Amino acid sequence: MTEAAARRRGRRTRTESASTRDRILAVAREEFSARGYEKTSVRGVAKAAGVDPALVHHYFGTKDQIFEAAVEDAVAPVLHAPDAVADGPLDDVGERLTRFMFGVWENPVTRTPLLAIVRSAVDNEAAASVFRRLVVSQLLGRVAGRLGRPDGELRVELAAAQLVGCAMLRYVIQVEPLASVDVEQIIARVAPVVQGHLTGP
Amino acid sequence: MTEAAARRRGRRTRTESASTRDRILAVAREEFSARGYEKTSVRGVAKAAGVDPALVHHYFGTKDQIFEAAVEDAVAPVLHAPDAVADGPLDDVGERLTRFMFGVWENPVTRTPLLAIVRSAVDNEAAASVFRRLVVSQLLGRVAGRLGRPDGELRVELAAAQLVGCAMLRYVIQVEPLASVDVEQIIARVAPVVQGHLTGP
């Protein structure tokens, strides 16, 4: 086999694998979103993706690991966007975090998988553990590191509690008037609270 | 029939009805707590209570209405205790509400049904509607009324968002260090935020 042929073959194999893997992942995201963690099965994901269950296990491992991959895929914008959010000046980090969080929730494309994660995390220990590891350690841990204070983690979590609670009442439980009021009104009231938790006395 | 006999019969009938009704309600609470809203059925509640499903319908109506009665029963301490919480002086209502909320969550007797409600409300529209009507209209509406401001409801909901988010991260998803830190440390940081939402500029 020539080098070029090997490269072509390698490329094609990688591409085919990637597309099967991606298809399984997309199906898994849909299934977890629609049915929740408990009611989703490896067998069901395999069937919907048109592959053998063994192939799902081959690519992703256990159901917990498939869920984790699906969540990681779904929250990629939350985990990877915030370089600018976490790295900018500390004196308006509260506003950046608040705007970022509401931006993700106001966008229907990112809201749907987030709703699925929140629903699963509330209902299931495996899902809660994925939520803790991905969202808390990765996203919040970076902000806590920047604060450089011994109580940095607790500060970040209380700030996150304000944002998580807003998301619960506005997007999940849909309490009025919070569910319908213009998002800028909420940001104006919440950003100073988030800032206070992070850098206040 | 003498008056005394009628009274006795009336009393006995009322007592028997009350005890059957209470037994069904207690079973329903357990079933909803253990299985969640979706997986609980009127038939299952009736079977566990040792009665005919028709009797469950007779006392409570539809599944939504049974759920509502079970939730109302479970959150009775949350709905009925806060006379003192809502009626005291406005300048420390934030601390009273915060202490009250954490008191209910720190007590295992009230925490279990609350967890069940939160889990159901996140997962199900009927449950979310009960949550909105009971917790939001009754408990938060009373506090909002006391504030006497046009944006009173929004203020109360943003304060509630801080408390709901704390409950989610500490008791439901159990994020560390928030899940293990002494509750007084959280109250000291959260009460001023709740107060600020309610009576701040």
Side-chain angles (χ1 to χ4, degrees):
Chain A
M1 189 157 52
T2 66
E3 204 190 316
R7 240 190 351 256
R8 270 198 308 277
R9 201 177 86 161
R11 195 156 47 222
R12 199 175 58 225
T13 307
R14 272 201 308 276
T15 307
E16 280 169 358
S17 299
S19 86
T20 304
R21 192 186 179 281
D22 288 352
R23 195 171 75 243
I24 296 170
L25 195 57
V27 165
R29 265 183 61 170
E30 273 174 39
E31 294 275 309
F32 283 121
S33 297
R35 296 163 185 272
Y37 180 90
E38 296 287 358
K39 289 179 195 160
T40 299
S41 66
V42 172
R43 186 169 295 275
V45 169
K47 195 175 169 190
V51 300
D52 193 87
L55 196 64
V56 179
H57 286 300
H58 166 73
Y59 281 125
F60 298 101
T62 64
K63 177 177 162 183
D64 275 16
Q65 290 170 313
I66 302 166
F67 179 76
E68 196 174 323
V71 169
E72 204 151 2
D73 191 47
V75 296
V78 185
L79 296 175
H80 301 305
D83 276 350
V85 173
D87 295 348
L90 276 185
D91 59 9
D92 60 359
V93 67
E95 170 140 5
R96 287 200 309 280
L97 263 180
T98 304
R99 284 202 175 277
F100 173 72
M101 194 284 293
F102 280 106
V104 172
W105 276 100
E106 290 288 313
N107 178 351
V109 175
T110 38
R111 186 195 305 155
T112 307
L114 269 178
L115 271 173
I117 296 160
V118 169
R119 292 196 163 121
S120 301
V122 165
D123 216 29
N124 177 276
E125 179 45 38
S129 146
V130 170
F131 181 91
R132 280 194 294 269
R133 209 171 47 66
L134 288 181
V135 178
V136 179
S137 326
Q138 291 194 31
L139 173 60
L140 301 186
R142 287 165 61 192
V143 180
R146 288 247 13 239
L147 297 181
R149 301 212 191 192
D151 61 351
E153 286 185 312
L154 187 60
R155 284 172 174 271
V156 169
E157 289 170 8
L158 291 172
Q162 174 73 73
L163 296 174
V164 165
C166 285
M168 282 282 293
L169 296 184
R170 180 174 169 89
Y171 304 105
V172 182
I173 300 177
Q174 298 180 8
V175 168
E176 294 297 352
L178 188 59
S180 302
V181 80
D182 183 72
V183 73
E184 288 297 330
Q185 262 204 63
I186 306 178
I187 292 173
R189 289 164 189 250
V190 164
V193 169
V194 171
Q195 183 72 37
H197 278 307
L198 296 177
T199 62
Chain B
M1 189 158 51
T2 65
E3 203 190 317
R7 240 190 349 254
R8 269 199 309 276
R9 202 178 84 162
R11 195 155 48 222
R12 199 175 59 223
T13 307
R14 272 201 306 277
T15 307
E16 279 168 359
S17 299
S19 85
T20 305
R21 191 185 180 283
D22 288 352
R23 195 170 75 243
I24 296 171
L25 195 57
V27 166
R29 264 183 63 169
E30 273 174 39
E31 295 274 309
F32 283 121
S33 297
R35 296 164 186 272
Y37 179 90
E38 295 288 359
K39 290 180 196 159
T40 298
S41 67
V42 171
R43 186 169 294 275
V45 168
K47 195 176 169 190
V51 301
D52 193 86
L55 197 63
V56 178
H57 286 299
H58 167 73
Y59 281 126
F60 298 100
T62 64
K63 178 176 160 183
D64 275 16
Q65 291 170 312
I66 302 167
F67 179 76
E68 195 175 323
V71 168
E72 203 150 4
D73 191 48
V75 298
V78 185
L79 296 175
H80 302 306
D83 277 350
V85 173
D87 295 348
L90 275 186
D91 59 8
D92 59 359
V93 66
E95 169 139 7
R96 288 199 309 280
L97 262 181
T98 304
R99 284 202 175 280
F100 174 72
M101 194 285 292
F102 280 105
V104 172
W105 276 100
E106 290 288 313
N107 179 352
V109 174
T110 38
R111 186 193 307 155
T112 308
L114 269 179
L115 271 173
I117 296 158
V118 170
R119 291 195 165 123
S120 301
V122 165
D123 217 29
N124 179 275
E125 179 45 37
S129 144
V130 171
F131 181 91
R132 278 194 295 270
R133 210 172 45 69
L134 288 181
V135 178
V136 179
S137 323
Q138 291 195 31
L139 174 59
L140 302 185
R142 287 164 62 192
V143 180
R146 287 251 11 242
L147 297 181
R149 299 209 191 195
D151 61 351
E153 285 185 314
L154 187 60
R155 284 172 174 269
V156 169
E157 288 170 9
L158 291 172
Q162 174 73 73
L163 296 173
V164 165
C166 285
M168 282 282 293
L169 295 183
R170 180 174 170 91
Y171 304 105
V172 182
I173 300 178
Q174 299 180 7
V175 168
E176 295 295 354
L178 188 60
S180 302
V181 80
D182 183 73
V183 73
E184 287 297 330
Q185 261 204 63
I186 306 177
I187 292 173
R189 289 165 189 250
V190 164
V193 169
V194 171
Q195 184 71 38
H197 278 307
L198 296 177
T199 62

